[in-house]
Amino acid sequence: MARRAFRALGQGINPYAITMPNIYGHDAFYGPGLVVSGRLQAGFPYPLSLLLAGTGHLLGGDYRFANVAAMGLAALLIGTCRPGRVAAAALFLFTPRTFFVLEQGWTEPYVVRLLAATVWCACRAPALVPLALGLLFAVKQYTVLAAPLVVLLYPGPTPWRDTGRTLLKAALVAAIVTLPFAVADPTAFVHDVIELQLRQPFRGDALSYLAGWVRATGQPPPSWLAFALVPLAIAVSLWRARRTPAGFAGAVALTFLVFFAFNKQAFANYYFFVIGALCCALAAGDHEATRWNPKEPS
């Protein structure tokens, strides 16, 4: 999909207005009407991811070189959030599914890289947080669910005001990256980026509790469940998480773990992002300040 999108972009064709061959040979993995004459009626659905992957395609002939770079940069950012956090970076790089995610060419390495950049900036360069956060929001559709959690980055007396300013700046960054694609063909953009995701059917092979629901009951799963549980996860995070970069990263991990675990589609790449978020939380934590003292009450 990405290679065809690059080819179209190089020929001056909007990558959201093209169609793709259906590699599965059936239409069970797509919504009704999305496969016509063996072709998926959609282009590449991730704006910023296409630009990031394009660097690997241009420089190395394979967009997965950009994925390797994203993984390496994410590990570097995780390992340098605070002194002595190399172990968190190594944990991220050598999780069991890392090389499988790389082989498959999924885009989650870019999401982890930009989340790690946001957490790193919160720890070491707070003025750059809106830039990193805006790119995070632009890289994949689901990342906007993290917007309410941004308040955890601000421990001061006016966190909501600081959060509002940061989100406005981040929205501007995301718009600058995304609008050129949207303006070129608004109909194709909305179809690929929004409608396609909403029309995706339930996947029985998903790594989610809904797949177990179907196996146990034989009934169609409640597709709204993930969206109903996300506000609960956000509320718990805002209630219990520390207002620190580590608290933000941990809240992101919890929110998206819930979102994926109860979603109609969830695979190894999604949980790779959750693991990356947990590594960011581990790296950003102030362990000296939070170390347990047996002489103090729990």
Side-chain angles (χ1 to χ4, degrees):
M1 180 178 285
R3 294 188 184 94
R4 290 177 174 82
F6 301 144
R7 192 177 302 120
L9 195 60
Q11 296 171 351
I13 300 172
N14 187 339
Y16 298 93
I18 63 176
T19 62
M20 300 282 185
N22 177 20
I23 62 174
Y24 298 109
H26 57 78
D27 60 0
F29 290 164
Y30 299 109
L34 289 177
V35 176
V36 177
S37 300
R39 295 192 68 84
L40 175 63
Q41 302 301 296
F44 194 84
Y46 313 122
L48 180 57
S49 294
L50 179 62
L51 298 179
L52 294 173
T55 59
H57 181 74
L58 290 175
L59 297 177
D62 190 324
Y63 71 92
R64 289 175 294 183
F65 282 112
N67 293 38
V68 173
M71 290 177 171
L73 286 171
L76 179 63
L77 291 165
I78 290 170
T80 58
C81 277
R82 300 193 189 278
R85 305 303 159 89
V86 176
L91 180 63
F92 166 68
L93 282 178
F94 298 106
T95 54
R97 283 298 189 181
T98 294
F99 297 107
F100 179 62
V101 170
L102 176 61
E103 178 190 15
Q104 295 299 309
W106 283 313
T107 57
E108 268 62 31
Y110 308 137
V111 187
V112 178
R113 170 187 168 184
L114 292 171
L115 175 63
T118 301
V119 174
W120 187 94
C121 290
C123 291
R124 308 193 64 163
L128 297 178
V129 167
L131 174 60
L133 191 64
L135 295 176
L136 176 65
F137 289 159
V139 76
K140 208 159 184 180
Q141 295 93 322
Y142 61 68
T143 55
V144 297
L145 294 176
L149 302 174
V150 175
V151 70
L152 296 173
L153 293 174
Y154 295 98
T158 57
W160 292 107
R161 184 173 65 183
D162 294 334
T163 300
R165 291 173 178 172
T166 295
L167 288 176
L168 285 175
K169 294 176 182 178
L172 178 61
V173 171
I176 290 172
V177 173
T178 306
L179 280 179
F181 294 99
V183 171
D185 191 334
T187 300
F189 182 84
V190 171
H191 176 266
D192 289 4
V193 176
I194 300 176
E195 291 181 2
L196 177 66
Q197 312 307 317
L198 297 176
R199 294 173 63 182
Q200 291 293 288
F202 166 73
R203 290 280 297 268
D205 57 341
L207 299 174
S208 78
Y209 289 113
L210 295 192
W213 172 294
V214 172
R215 287 193 291 269
T217 67
Q219 301 297 319
S223 58
W224 49 263
L225 188 57
F227 293 94
L229 291 175
V230 160
L232 178 61
I234 292 174
V236 170
S237 297
L238 296 178
W239 175 40
R240 298 297 297 171
R242 292 175 178 268
R243 282 200 279 148
T244 63
F248 168 74
V252 168
L254 173 63
T255 298
F256 286 99
L257 176 62
V258 170
F259 183 62
F260 299 142
F262 292 93
N263 216 309
K264 61 183 179 181
Q265 296 193 18
F267 303 102
N269 51 315
Y270 297 109
Y271 296 107
F272 177 79
F273 168 51
V274 173
I275 292 171
L278 289 171
C279 290
C280 288
L282 180 63
D286 186 352
H287 298 308
E288 291 298 325
T290 59
R291 184 175 295 171
W292 178 61
N293 184 346
K295 294 182 180 181
E296 295 180 356
S298 300

